[in-house]
Amino acid sequence: MAGPRVVIIGAGVVGAALADEISARGWTEVTVVDQGPLPATGGSSSHAPGLVFQTNASKTMTELARYTVEKFCSLDVDGEPCFLQVGGLEVATSPERLTELRRRHGWITSWGIEGHLLTPDECVEQHPLLDRDRILGGLLIPTDGLAKAVLAVEAQIRRATERGVRFLARHEVLDIKQSEGRVTGVVTDHGELDADIVVCCAGIWGPRIARMVGMNLPLTPLAHQLAWTGPVPALAGQTEEAIRPILRHQDADLYYRDRYDGLGIGSYGHRPMPVSADDILSVDEAEEMPSVLKFTEEDFEPAWAETQSLLPVTQEAKVEEGINGLFSFTTDGYPLLGESPQVKGFWVAEAVWVTHSAGVGRAVAEWLVDGYCSSFDLHECDVNRFEPHQLSPEYVLARDCRNFEEVYDILHPLQPSGEPRPIRTSPFYARQQGHGAFFLEANGWERPQWYEANAPLVEGRKIPTPNDWAARYWSPIVGAEAQVTRETVALYDMTALKRLEVTGPGAAAFLERLCTGKIDKSVGSVTYTLLLDHDGGIRSDVTVARLARDRFQVGANGNLDLDWFTRHLPAAGTVQVRDITAGTCCIGLWGPLARTVLQPLTDEDFSNEGLKYFRARHAYIGSVPVTAMRLSYVGELGWELYTTADQGLKLWDTLWAAAEPLGGVIAGRGAFNSLRLEKGYRSFGTDMTYEHDPYEAGVGFAVKPDKGDFIGKAALELRKADVRRRLTCLTIDDPQAVVLGKEPVYAGERAVGYVTSAAYGYTIGKGIAYAWLPAELATPGTTVHIGYFDQRIEAVVAEEPLFDPTMSRLRG
């Protein structure tokens, strides 16, 4: 036996995959328990229809699905395959959906999976049951198909068992044992199992199990309708289970799969039907299985009528079976993976559908065995990503139900998430409303995108209108606000950015260990630095300001940074970390007239010599005490001004009274994004993530290899010598050809990379797109093309930054 004692709760498609993957890596002292029989345990895996569509806006989710396909294709049970690779076909019955399929084809191309856009006739060739007159086009992914979930569970159980893993059926978990903040075992109705690590793969029961260690799991089981027809006369004699591609008719929230001479029909078009994990019946109480609820025929009637229209041959058939099957939904549509923040050794792998199950099994196995995941970027999936309000029952239920309703909707990248709103507002909210702010949401914060009060600024300016898709959630006011920022001065609400305070006698040494830059510098220093994982991948980029000998303020990217810091705190208690975001606020005062606005309001010296670039000081702005940091993410002279939330409104009014007479404006996130791209500033989570290292991402300057040891240093030294891709700046001459991100980039006819961030540069007069490209193509002057819906947009690799390369405006 090898490795720690591991107990996996749940032997469905996720638990079985994890047992297989973790035992293949040498951890074999593993026990898997499930309350149901094996291999059909009674959870979602046991009734899942098995359709695996790999296309997803998320690169990570696509890669998890791709691995699942590859693994399942290699599995069989006594010669019976676990995957039927019949392909996947999505069809459009509206012009809007046809356009969306082109966007989806761009995603799949960006992520390196084969896909083909089809004409209506080609769609019918692939799936002859379709009504040709209804179809406008389609998207075919040849490697999609049908996962035989129960068979895949059995195949993986067999492999893991051969390596020594124990599977215990009919073992209900009653409690999780803990001691001094660590798990020590699992209590079942058949006795206790000692454990160093417990992984909850309980699916729809996940919230109930997690609650045993005090963990709030933001997951809701929702019923989803699946029906099976009886024999369809046109399919008489079909002896193979599936010969046609799995089919999605997303305009009507429907999908279809073969089953010999009948069809399976899945619908998301009905009302949300949430169920509490506590109300799910036990295996013995359930009539069929716990995850299957009674079919509600009235909810299925519209789906059946639409099916008979799209697939006319079904008019001669009947619906003979149906279920309302329970599946897990989350507030943002991503899985819940990782270790509890409160109880060491308690892990979750939840809200995972069959589509991504084997990939998740591999990811969590790597994470457990190696301490990090090398195969997938999991920042979107980490269970610790949520802000406190995102764990409230009201929020979780509302957003989970909305995600059910929007499963097949056409969603714009900037589209707000809906109710409940507003949740978090800065102290300036009333003033922003008074200026006609158009709000979007950022981690629950109401964040202005632009201000209607600035509409008169548009007159006389050259602000091109982008294409229809890019013009959603956009206004020409965005361009005016960006230009005025460069001409005079602007106030930006930066409150939505997370702020952490690190204090204690060990704070400097603690930050030196976690950061790539030199932190133990003089009081007043501000450092842009990176957090790396042990493999050298970027976990975040942050700013660290030393405000006192033992007190630092960290400008972070989100709750995962807080979680990372907390997990690395020294046991001696010499360092404390706390989130100060809610009690503070921040105004970015930026532009060539920023000093003209600020200096008369304070007795402190804000000249270039008095407060140099990337320095901080305490000051009074009027009657308001602030922490002023001289840095700017729009590439202009200015400061980030922090104060407590109760005095934020006074600070705003003081600054605005001084800026308005000088032609200053208040500006929104739309302008900010354009300006930061002109300056070449990266955005973590969009431009760079866990899978990238600093040298690829163009932030190698933030690494100080001559300092002491820091997490990831050894791995980084190896990666520095082998840079094969680069985050590259592209410019686009066509003013209407504004892209939004995730589009494929082509060299000739070959897809070679993908766009991360993009916007129009209102100062330089060109479109800007940052993209990951092979290193050999990242040479200024190289011409590439961006795949944007049905267009190929010419773009040129450019030197960066595009604006103020000498940094004279920032340092002036």
Side-chain angles (χ1 to χ4, degrees):
M1 294 293 183
R5 297 167 298 178
V6 180
V7 174
I8 298 172
I9 301 172
V13 74
V14 180
L18 176 56
D20 180 36
E21 295 284 343
I22 202 170
S23 60
R25 286 163 176 77
W27 282 17
T28 54
E29 198 166 342
V30 178
T31 302
V32 184
V33 298
D34 200 291
Q35 63 182 337
L38 299 177
T41 62
S44 300
S45 304
S46 302
H47 68 73
L51 287 81
V52 176
F53 286 92
Q54 297 166 87
T55 308
N56 197 291
S58 163
K59 182 173 183 282
T60 296
M61 295 297 278
T62 294
E63 290 177 342
L64 291 170
R66 173 164 47 196
Y67 181 78
T68 300
V69 168
E70 291 170 354
K71 182 175 184 180
F72 282 10
C73 282
S74 71
L75 298 177
D76 70 89
V77 175
D78 300 330
E80 187 174 356
C82 295
F83 196 79
L84 306 178
Q85 201 160 40
V86 292
L89 176 64
E90 301 179 31
V91 295
T93 58
S94 68
E96 296 79 11
R97 183 64 61 177
L98 184 62
T99 300
E100 170 72 354
L101 291 186
R102 292 171 181 146
R103 183 168 73 125
R104 295 172 66 80
H105 180 250
W107 295 342
I108 211 74
T109 303
S110 292
W111 315 146
I113 291 180
E114 180 186 357
H116 305 281
L117 290 167
L118 304 185
T119 66
D121 288 337
E122 290 171 329
C123 290
V124 175
E125 287 177 17
Q126 291 289 329
H127 204 295
L129 307 188
L130 289 165
D131 180 355
R132 166 64 178 75
D133 293 338
R134 294 283 313 276
I135 306 302
L136 301 181
L139 172 61
L140 177 70
I141 310 298
T143 53
D144 286 348
L146 283 170
K148 307 295 289 294
V150 174
L151 274 181
V153 168
E154 185 172 356
Q156 292 175 103
I157 286 176
R158 289 186 181 186
R159 286 158 50 122
T161 301
E162 289 175 358
R163 301 187 192 106
V165 175
R166 288 194 304 163
F167 286 82
L168 303 178
R170 294 282 185 177
H171 278 59
E172 182 180 358
V173 173
L174 304 177
D175 198 9
I176 310 292
K177 295 174 63 180
Q178 308 171 51
S179 177
E180 299 181 351
R182 290 199 64 92
V183 297
T184 60
V186 174
V187 180
T188 78
D189 57 353
H190 288 268
E192 298 184 4
L193 300 166
D194 292 334
D196 304 303
I197 294 172
V198 175
V199 187
C200 178
C201 304
I204 54 178
W205 291 277
R208 195 165 80 190
I209 299 297
R211 204 161 53 240
M212 294 177 182
V213 296
M215 187 177 183
N216 187 356
L217 203 63
L219 178 161
T220 303
L222 280 111
H224 157 59
Q225 291 204 300
L226 175 66
W228 301 97
T229 71
V232 178
L235 306 182
Q238 180 174 322
T239 57
E240 294 182 57
E241 181 177 351
I243 60 174
R244 284 167 288 275
I246 54 176
L247 178 67
R248 277 206 280 199
H249 174 29
Q250 292 171 291
D251 281 326
D253 299 307
L254 290 166
Y255 64 76
Y256 304 92
R257 56 152 293 176
D258 285 9
R259 188 172 72 167
Y260 300 103
D261 62 352
L263 293 174
I265 307 166
S267 172
Y268 290 101
H270 53 81
R271 60 191 169 90
M273 304 178 195
V275 176
S276 169
D278 294 324
D279 294 335
I280 301 172
L281 297 177
S282 69
V283 172
D284 293 328
E285 292 173 323
E287 183 175 331
E288 184 175 348
M289 64 180 74
S291 61
V292 169
L293 306 182
K294 185 179 179 181
F295 189 58
T296 49
E297 295 182 6
E298 64 277 10
D299 289 305
F300 193 73
E301 287 175 0
W304 181 234
E306 178 61 23
T307 296
Q308 291 177 307
S309 173
L310 184 75
L311 308 173
V313 297
T314 59
Q315 295 172 13
E316 302 178 59
K318 294 181 179 179
V319 173
E320 292 193 350
E321 306 171 53
I323 63 169
N324 286 4
L326 294 178
F327 288 95
S328 300
F329 281 79
T330 61
T331 57
D332 57 7
Y334 293 109
L336 308 173
L337 312 179
E339 188 180 22
S340 161
Q342 292 90 20
V343 181
K344 293 185 182 301
F346 184 82
W347 290 66
V348 299
E350 291 290 351
V352 180
W353 292 6
V354 172
T355 299
H356 309 103
S357 58
V360 165
R362 177 175 181 173
V364 175
E366 289 180 354
W367 200 348
L368 286 166
V369 175
D370 301 330
Y372 58 90
C373 176
S374 59
S375 296
F376 308 98
D377 162 31
L378 297 181
H379 84 276
E380 293 171 315
C381 306
D382 194 314
V383 70
N384 298 294
R385 64 190 181 268
F386 300 104
E387 296 292 324
H389 75 274
Q390 295 172 321
L391 299 175
S392 71
E394 178 187 39
Y395 181 95
V396 170
L397 180 61
R399 290 291 172 92
D400 288 358
C401 288
R402 183 180 178 92
N403 275 334
F404 176 90
E405 294 173 330
E406 292 180 345
V407 162
Y408 284 170
D409 284 4
I410 299 171
L411 301 177
H412 190 275
L414 295 178
Q415 187 163 321
S417 299
E419 298 300 324
R421 281 183 70 190
I423 296 176
R424 310 173 83 181
T425 56
S426 78
F428 328 127
Y429 185 58
R431 297 291 187 268
Q432 292 166 342
Q433 288 179 306
H435 282 82
F438 179 85
F439 291 101
L440 296 179
E441 182 189 357
N443 286 326
W445 291 98
E446 294 297 316
R447 186 166 67 183
Q449 194 75 357
W450 69 80
Y451 295 88
E452 288 295 334
N454 291 329
L457 297 174
V458 175
E459 188 174 349
R461 295 181 178 274
K462 187 177 180 181
I463 300 172
T465 300
N467 57 80
D468 289 347
W469 184 247
R472 298 187 189 185
Y473 306 103
W474 176 87
S475 166
I477 297 171
V478 167
E481 291 176 0
Q483 291 178 356
V484 173
T485 301
R486 298 242 187 264
E487 296 163 1
T488 58
V489 66
L491 276 66
Y492 287 83
D493 180 2
M494 304 300 290
T495 302
L497 300 181
K498 183 173 281 290
R499 293 170 291 285
L500 308 177
E501 185 179 71
V502 182
T503 57
F510 169 74
L511 289 168
E512 283 285 335
R513 170 68 178 149
L514 266 64
C515 297
T516 61
K518 183 68 175 173
I519 306 300
D520 193 2
K521 298 186 290 190
S522 63
V523 172
S525 63
V526 183
T527 305
Y528 173 80
T529 186
L530 306 172
L531 308 179
L532 303 183
D533 213 328
H534 294 275
D535 65 345
I538 301 171
R539 285 199 64 95
S540 190
D541 65 336
V542 298
T543 55
V544 180
R546 190 169 202 172
L547 303 182
R549 175 177 172 79
D550 295 334
R551 181 164 66 89
F552 297 80
Q553 182 172 309
V554 178
N557 281 299
N559 212 55
L560 289 180
D561 293 344
L562 174 60
D563 181 68
W564 185 252
F565 281 172
T566 302
R567 290 184 186 280
H568 289 88
L569 287 173
T574 56
V575 183
Q576 296 78 45
V577 177
R578 68 187 185 103
D579 184 350
I580 62 171
T581 310
T584 57
C585 60
C586 179
I587 296 173
L589 178 71
W590 295 315
L593 299 184
R595 186 175 285 121
T596 307
V597 170
L598 193 63
Q599 189 61 78
L601 302 176
T602 180
D603 293 334
E604 297 289 337
D605 182 3
F606 276 83
S607 68
N608 194 39
E609 296 73 25
L611 187 63
K612 294 183 181 298
Y613 186 54
F614 263 76
R615 296 289 296 180
R617 73 144 46 104
H618 298 296
Y620 286 93
I621 305 302
S623 59
V624 180
V626 303
T627 298
M629 299 186 196
R630 189 175 167 192
L631 57 158
S632 163
Y633 286 94
V634 300
E636 293 290 340
L637 169 68
W639 298 267
E640 290 182 358
L641 302 171
Y642 298 88
T643 190
T644 52
D646 61 323
Q647 297 181 85
L649 188 58
K650 180 62 175 176
L651 177 63
W652 179 279
D653 288 345
T654 301
L655 292 170
W656 180 236
E660 186 180 20
L662 299 175
V665 296
I666 52 176
R669 189 69 178 182
F672 176 93
N673 196 50
S674 171
L675 296 170
R676 75 140 179 116
L677 287 176
E678 288 184 333
K679 194 59 183 167
Y681 292 139
R682 278 65 167 144
S683 174
F684 178 80
T686 304
D687 298 315
M688 55 191 187
T689 66
Y690 293 2
E691 67 175 303
H692 306 115
D693 70 49
Y695 304 109
E696 297 172 327
V699 288
F701 64 87
V703 179
K704 306 304 178 187
D706 56 342
K707 63 170 277 187
D709 193 24
F710 55 85
I711 293 175
K713 183 178 182 180
L716 198 58
E717 290 173 353
L718 297 175
R719 295 177 70 152
K720 183 179 181 180
D722 188 27
V723 176
R724 301 182 182 184
R725 58 184 174 179
R726 294 192 184 276
L727 184 62
T728 307
C729 179
L730 306 176
T731 58
I732 303 166
D733 287 336
D734 184 349
Q736 282 202 313
V738 176
V739 300
L740 295 179
K742 302 185 178 182
E743 297 88 359
V745 180
Y746 294 88
E749 292 302 309
R750 181 171 60 100
V752 293
Y754 59 92
V755 174
T756 57
S757 295
Y760 190 78
Y762 297 100
T763 310
I764 66 167
K766 292 185 178 184
I768 307 168
Y770 272 78
W772 281 101
L773 295 180
E776 64 270 18
L777 292 178
T779 303
T782 302
T783 298
V784 294
H785 289 82
I786 299 172
Y788 188 65
F789 295 98
D790 58 347
Q791 304 173 47
R792 292 287 179 93
I793 297 171
E794 184 175 287
V796 177
V797 175
E799 292 273 9
E800 56 173 332
L802 299 169
F803 177 78
D804 188 26
T806 65
M807 304 283 281
S808 60
R809 294 173 74 105
L810 275 170
R811 298 179 183 275

